[in-house]
Amino acid sequence: MTRTTVSGIRPDKTGTGEWIDINSHVGRLMSTIMAGGRPFSIDADPAGMTIVTPLPPPAAGPDEGRITSRKTLYERFKTRLNENLDERKQ
């Protein structure tokens, strides 16, 4: 079974699988679409079954940057994209 973890906290090095930072563009989008902005793991077994499992919330506190609507997601994405393009022009 392979595992992909989408979380703001990197799992320990002994775990198998792949880690996607929830704070990266891909991590935020995946966590918003698949787990309501919360960390989660995706397990895929050899038979092709995919299991999405929410992870417990971090002990640090609530997610302040949680995106709760598709409109907000698109607006933040467009803003960040424009910032990145402006940086490249400089």
Side-chain angles (χ1 to χ4, degrees):
M1 180 178 293
T2 61
R3 168 171 282 190
T4 302
T5 302
V6 181
S7 174
I9 302 168
R10 181 183 281 281
D12 64 14
K13 299 279 184 182
T14 59
T16 59
E18 192 178 329
W19 174 68
I20 297 174
D21 183 2
I22 202 169
N23 298 312
S24 71
H25 296 300
V26 173
R28 275 190 299 224
L29 180 62
M30 287 179 67
S31 77
T32 299
I33 291 172
M34 299 182 78
R38 306 279 311 256
F40 66 99
S41 68
I42 304 168
D43 294 315
D45 66 16
M49 177 72 76
T50 302
I51 305 163
V52 176
T53 309
L55 299 175
D63 297 308
E64 293 177 6
R66 185 173 171 190
I67 299 173
T68 56
S69 74
R70 184 172 286 160
K71 181 181 177 186
T72 304
L73 174 66
Y74 290 145
E75 287 172 356
R76 288 191 187 175
F77 175 77
K78 285 171 37 177
T79 301
R80 184 65 182 173
L81 178 63
N82 288 330
E83 288 171 0
N84 289 341
L85 291 172
D86 289 342
E87 285 178 17
R88 286 184 177 218
K89 289 178 184 176
Q90 293 178 357

